[in-house]
Every structure is written in C-alpha cells, then in structure tokens.
Amino acid sequence: MASSYTTNFAIEKMATGDQSGTWGTTTNHNFDILDRIASYKSVAITTNADTHTLTVREASPGSGTENLQDGMYRVIKFTGALDSNCTVTIAPNSASALFIFINATTDSGSSGPYSLIFTQGSGANVTVVNGKSAVVYADGAGSGAAVINALDKPLFGTISATADTAAGDSASMGYTASEGLILTGQGSTNDVTIKNDADADVITIATGGTSVDIVGDVTAATVQADGDTSAGDNAAMGYTAAEGLILTGQGSTNDITIKNDADADVITIATGATNVDIVGSVTAATVNADGDTSAGDNAAMGYTAAEGLILTGQGSTNDVTIKNDADADVLEIPTGTTNVTVAGQFNGGTIILAETDTDTSNTGSVTIDFSAHQNFVLTLTGNVTLANPSTESVGQAGVFVFIQDGTGSRTLSLGTDYESPAGGGITLSTAASAVDVVPYFVKASGSIQLGAPQLAFS
C-alpha cells in the first residue's frame, strides 16, 4: 500500500509494510517538515514582482526533499526590492496554516515603500504595509479560501508599548520615556478617532492637523487655555499674559454669541465688528462711555471731553425718544431733524425756541410743519391757502411774516384749522414787497388761533 500525506503540510504517513529499508529516510523528511513548522525563514521576492506564490505543500506531495516548501515556516520575513504592491498567494487553496508575516521589502521605484497583499482564494485578504508585521491564518477553504488577520479583535489584559511610533503609521500605539503613551494614526479624514460604544465619534484629530475636536461637552473643574487665538477661528478660547482670557469666534451673523439657558441671545458681537449688542438690560453701578458715537447708530451712548455725554439714535419716526415708566413719550427728536418735541410741560428755567422757516417761494396750497419750526417767514409769489396741518403742538406759539413779492396784491386764504378774529380771515397789505406780521397760538389740535395782522412794516 502506498504512503498518504497530511492535508496541510504533507507529512508522509507510511502504510503498513511500506518503504522497507527507506523508512528512516522518510521519517527524517517528516522531521524536517515539523522543524519548519516551528521555525523562521527569510524569503526573497523577485525584484519588482507584482505577484509571488508561497507554497505550503505541493498539490501532489511526493517523498523526499521536493516536499520541503517555504510556506512550511511559521515566521516568514519577505525581502526584495519592489516598485509596486505585491500580491502573495498562499498555495494550495486547500491548506490551512498560521503565519507571522514581516514585510521587510525595499523600494526600487519612486512612490514606495510598498505593501504585501496576502490571498488564498476569492475570500478576504490581509494587507501588511511596509515595515510592519501581522499574524494571519489561511482557512484552506478551496476556491473561496480567505486569509484572515488573527489579531483583528484581540483581547488582552495589559499591552505595554516600548518604542516610539512613526509618521505614516496607519494605527500605532507607542511609548517613549519623555512623551509617555503615544497614539498615532493616518486616515483620509482623521488621523485619530475615539468612538463610543454606539460607534459615534467622541474625539477626533483631523488628518495632518493638531486640533482636537470633542463632539460632546467637556466637563472639568477648570479649563485652562495657554495660547492666543487666531483670526478665522470658528470658536476658540485663548489666553495671553497681557490680554487675559480671550474668546474668538467667526460666524456668518455673529462672531460671538452668549446665550441663556433658554437658548436666547444675551450678548452678541456681529461678524467682523467691534460693537457689543446686549439684548436685555444692563445693571451696573456706573456705565462709562469713552468714545464718540457715529452717524447711523441705531442707539448709542458716547462721550467726548468737549461734548460730554452723547445720546445718538436712528429710527423711522424719531432718532431719539425718552419715555417714562408708563412707556409714554416724554421727549422726542424726529428722524433727521434738530427739533425737540416735549410732550409735557417745562417747569422752571428759561426756554428759548427760535427755529424759523424762511421760504422765498409760496403759491397755492401751503402746509406748515409746526414740528420743525416755530416761526415762519413766507414770501408770497402767488395767492396762498394755508392748508390744515397735522404737526401742531398744543401751547405752541410764534409768528407768521408774510412778504409780498415784487408784484404784490397776493392774497391769503385759511384752512378750517386756522381761526381769525371774529372769523373774518386775514387781509394782507397789497403793495409790492410789503411786510405783514401775524401772531399765532395753538389752542388745541386743529385749533390754531391767529392774531390781528400788523401791516406794512417798513
């Protein structure tokens, strides 16, 4: 009866009575195989080869040294110069075996060093990058055979690293006496990612970056910044000895926003601006303004040594409005004007109101703006009707000065809000360039009382 061979390493099993006189030689060959199973070998890959075959045993084993193959060794260091990644096929695809592979190849091209890709069939492969080692096993499953990383998900009590990591490491843990524990990675998005049990990112270090992104909240007794921030920081906290704590941000609307627990804005600094917007009230013993205000300020309080306290505003109706506790207007400065409207009464002191409207061309319907002026000097270039106004204030008083143009004989008619002595209207002088003065007093809204005209001043 002929000898048979074991499936994986082709150890020869002699049949009863077989190999008379050569039994010892066959046994020695088997011992050679067993010796290799527990040993190391350096295997050279042909220069610039894209493929290499690692034979565990021949497809049809035979007696003798022909059955001693490189793939029988457990620890194999691959050498040789490569110009591309090389695929190493473990043969035959029916042999199952455990290996420790070391990629010690060198670079003969310009883009290396290169990886070794271990395969056995159409199943999974294992890639060992240059300079690294891996513990793998080939499952010998035939055409669908796979090569599997035996340490893909290892369970260890303690792992002690004793050497530094290197740039380009895909994922490495190292140690040096000065740096302590070192975690090094290299990925297309992040170099290092720490995840929770739900596979969600917790801490990331972007590829090639030195910034640490913490996805959730940081809970600590004290967070101490020890460096300055930079322009363009999305959100940064820094510190310098001169400036102290520094908060820097960059947003499309605001650079910095401080919110309350209800997610409502409390303090904002608009993007690219130096103004601070406080949404609520400011409670302080003293608020000191130390700079002037500017045109277009919505609401600003400023100070200069010459002008003292400055209040500046810009609104569609009033530029400045002072209200009482009942939200009623007390004092108004209409938008774009220098007039002051006081809703109540002035008590004490001396009040001087002397804003005069001098209009050198008046004809037809004329509407007086009592909110802008107290006195009115009107040159009549045609017959004039004083239309009913809407801007008068109760208690307002002043004079109209009517001047005839070079033609003269211009007449004055009155809207219903204007009241004259005995309801007789106002008759002006008719001479060219004649000057007449008519006093007025606002008794009530829609009731402007005109005094008797003083005619023909000269």
Side-chain angles (χ1 to χ4, degrees):
M1 180 180 293
S3 298
S4 62
Y5 298 86
T6 59
T7 301
N8 297 315
F9 291 96
I11 296 174
E12 187 171 350
K13 298 188 292 185
M14 292 171 288
T16 301
D18 188 30
Q19 297 191 16
S20 176
T22 61
W23 187 91
T25 300
T26 300
T27 300
N28 287 339
H29 288 156
N30 286 341
F31 285 154
D32 286 338
I33 294 173
L34 293 175
D35 182 70
R36 293 182 175 213
I37 291 175
S39 302
Y40 154 86
K41 184 178 184 181
S42 177
V43 174
I45 297 177
T46 303
T47 299
N48 297 337
D50 294 333
T51 63
H52 179 83
T53 299
L54 179 67
T55 302
V56 177
R57 64 168 176 81
E58 291 187 339
S60 298
S63 298
T65 57
E66 70 175 22
N67 197 37
L68 299 179
Q69 303 294 332
D70 289 346
M72 292 177 174
Y73 290 93
R74 296 286 56 73
V75 181
I76 302 174
K77 179 172 75 173
F78 290 92
T79 62
L82 302 179
D83 62 359
S84 64
N85 293 337
C86 180
T87 298
V88 179
T89 301
I90 300 171
N93 58 22
S94 59
S96 60
L98 178 71
F99 299 95
I100 298 176
F101 289 142
I102 303 166
N103 182 353
T105 60
T106 57
D107 179 17
S108 69
S110 59
S111 301
Y114 299 98
S115 298
L116 297 178
I117 304 167
F118 294 93
T119 186
Q120 190 180 37
S122 62
N125 299 330
V126 170
T127 298
V128 180
V129 299
N130 186 267
K132 302 301 179 181
S133 60
V135 178
V136 305
Y137 65 89
D139 65 9
S143 61
V147 179
I148 300 168
N149 184 351
L151 298 180
D152 182 33
K153 296 179 181 178
L155 180 63
F156 300 107
T158 301
I159 299 175
S160 296
T162 60
D164 202 353
T165 62
D169 286 341
S170 295
S172 296
M173 180 184 73
Y175 169 84
T176 65
S178 61
E179 296 175 289
L181 178 68
I182 305 168
L183 293 177
T184 301
Q186 192 277 326
S188 60
T189 302
N190 297 324
D191 280 344
V192 175
T193 301
I194 298 177
K195 298 196 174 197
N196 62 15
D197 189 52
D199 198 41
D201 291 357
V202 176
I203 298 175
T204 61
I205 300 175
T207 302
T210 57
S211 300
V212 177
D213 185 8
I214 301 174
V215 178
D217 298 328
V218 176
T219 302
T222 303
V223 178
Q224 296 185 355
D226 61 359
D228 202 353
T229 63
S230 301
D233 286 341
N234 288 330
M237 180 181 72
Y239 169 84
T240 65
E243 297 173 290
L245 179 67
I246 305 167
L247 294 177
T248 301
Q250 191 277 327
S252 60
T253 301
N254 297 324
D255 280 344
I256 294 178
T257 301
I258 297 177
K259 298 195 174 196
N260 63 16
D261 190 52
D263 199 41
D265 292 357
V266 176
I267 298 175
T268 61
I269 300 175
T271 302
T274 57
N275 298 324
V276 177
D277 185 9
I278 302 174
V279 178
S281 303
V282 177
T283 302
T286 303
V287 177
N288 292 323
D290 62 359
D292 202 352
T293 63
S294 301
D297 286 340
N298 288 329
M301 180 182 72
Y303 170 84
T304 65
E307 296 172 292
L309 179 67
I310 305 167
L311 294 177
T312 301
Q314 191 277 326
S316 59
T317 302
N318 297 323
D319 281 343
V320 175
T321 301
I322 297 177
K323 298 194 175 196
N324 62 16
D325 189 52
D327 198 41
D329 292 356
V330 174
L331 183 148
E332 300 172 350
I333 300 176
T335 302
T337 72
T338 57
N339 301 320
V340 177
T341 300
V342 180
Q345 298 178 342
F346 275 106
N347 293 321
T350 300
I351 301 172
I352 300 175
L353 299 174
E355 284 293 325
T356 299
D357 177 20
T358 300
D359 191 341
T360 59
S361 177
N362 293 273
T363 185
S365 179
V366 175
T367 301
I368 299 300
D369 185 357
F370 287 98
S371 67
H373 303 92
Q374 178 187 1
N375 301 312
F376 306 90
V377 179
L378 307 178
T379 298
L380 307 185
T381 55
N383 296 332
V384 169
T385 297
L386 293 182
N388 291 336
S390 60
T391 54
E392 68 272 18
S393 298
V394 176
Q396 184 174 351
V399 297
F400 287 97
V401 177
F402 296 104
I403 303 174
Q404 295 282 351
D405 65 1
T407 300
S409 298
R410 311 300 190 184
T411 62
L412 178 66
S413 300
L414 304 175
T416 56
D417 287 357
Y418 292 93
E419 301 172 356
S420 59
I426 299 297
T427 301
L428 301 177
S429 301
T430 59
S433 303
V435 177
D436 299 336
V437 177
V438 179
Y440 76 88
F441 177 81
V442 180
K443 181 186 72 174
S445 178
S447 177
I448 304 168
Q449 298 183 330
L450 301 179
Q454 307 297 307
L455 302 176
F457 279 80
S458 62

